[in-house]
Each structure stands twice: as C-alpha cells, then as structure tokens.
Amino acid sequence: MKLTLSLPSSVNHIYGRNKFGGVYLKKVGKEYKEKMIKYIQEEVIKQNWIKVENQYLYLDEIVYMNRKGRDSDNLKKLMQDSITESKVVWTDDTYCLPRTERVYIDSINPRVEITIIPTEFIGIFNSREEYE
C-alpha cells in the first residue's frame, strides 16, 4: 500500500503537558490525525488493501522536509498513530517496522511518502509455512 501524508508537526509541537504532568495531544495534532485518518480510509478502499492482523509490516518512508535540520524520527509517532486509529491497515503499530529510506528538502511540497509491505516472517518463524 502506498500513502502520501502531509508532513506532521514534530512531537515537540503536537504534545503538551498538563499541570499534573500528564501528556495530551494539542489541537494541531488532533486536526492532523482526523485529516489523515479520513485519507487513509479512502486509500484503503482505492487500493483494495486488506487489513493485516497479528503480522509485522515494513513501513518504508521517504521524507520531504520543509526545511533543513528537522528530525525525521519526530514525525513517526503521529503518523503511525493515525494509521492505527484508521483501523483499516493493521491491528496495532507495535507490528510496524519503520524504515526511513531517504530524507530530502522540499519547502514547497513537504510530505512523507509511505509504502507498507507485510513481512514474510510471522513472529519467530521465517515464513507462514514454517509457522503452520
């Protein structure tokens, strides 16, 4: 499955702390999630994706940053949470194996291009045949 997601704000800008020390998602993070969940659900239908349950998946990404100096790892949490909360791609992002392939600068069209590929291994087994 291939997705092109808009570049989210980093975790440093989308999460806040309340007076008791708890963490919460700020309005900008909630808005990003809502937009991405809708887009992901539409793409699943267009691409005839079948939800993968209890199997690891590679999440290969090419990141187009809006400026130099940003940390691509700070983008992963909100994107993976959005995919999980769409409830149509995988069971849980604990099965997600993210791999950043390249990072570019594109100040006009910042984005993350994602390819999701189920792995051949199942848990400790190298293949479905070995698992069964």
Side-chain angles (χ1 to χ4, degrees):
M1 176 152 136
K2 294 185 182 283
L3 300 169
T4 301
L5 304 178
S6 60
L7 194 68
S9 298
S10 77
V11 292
N12 302 327
H13 294 98
I14 59 168
Y15 291 100
R17 289 202 177 273
N18 63 28
K19 63 183 178 181
F20 304 107
V23 177
Y24 67 93
L25 186 61
K26 293 180 181 177
K27 183 180 177 186
V28 67
K30 289 178 184 176
E31 289 170 348
Y32 177 86
K33 264 185 169 178
E34 288 172 11
K35 182 179 169 187
M36 290 303 102
I37 288 170
K38 184 174 188 253
Y39 165 73
I40 292 162
Q41 291 170 337
E42 290 169 359
E43 285 301 307
V44 161
I45 293 166
K46 283 182 197 173
Q47 297 182 40
N48 295 316
W49 176 262
I50 297 170
K51 182 178 179 179
V52 176
E53 298 195 31
N54 304 318
Q55 181 178 352
Y56 286 94
L57 298 106
Y58 292 118
L59 187 144
D60 294 332
E61 62 183 19
I62 299 173
V63 182
Y64 295 83
M65 294 290 197
N66 56 335
R67 61 180 160 70
K68 189 175 160 187
R70 290 195 61 188
D71 182 354
S72 65
D73 286 340
N74 282 340
L75 308 175
K76 290 178 178 25
K77 174 104 177 97
L78 191 58
M79 287 188 312
Q80 290 174 19
D81 286 350
S82 297
I83 294 169
T84 299
E85 290 179 31
S86 74
K87 299 181 181 179
V88 293
V89 177
W90 55 49
T91 308
D92 191 274
D93 62 0
T94 57
Y95 291 100
C96 173
L97 302 171
R99 304 185 297 191
T100 303
E101 304 291 323
R102 292 289 304 264
V103 177
Y104 298 101
I105 304 297
D106 186 344
S107 58
I108 296 170
N109 185 23
R111 65 198 179 280
V112 181
E113 294 177 355
I114 292 175
T115 303
I116 300 172
I117 307 162
T119 63
E120 291 185 19
F121 61 87
I122 309 285
I124 62 169
F125 301 99
N126 291 323
S127 66
R128 172 132 332 255
E129 292 80 29
E130 192 178 300
Y131 170 78
E132 291 173 354

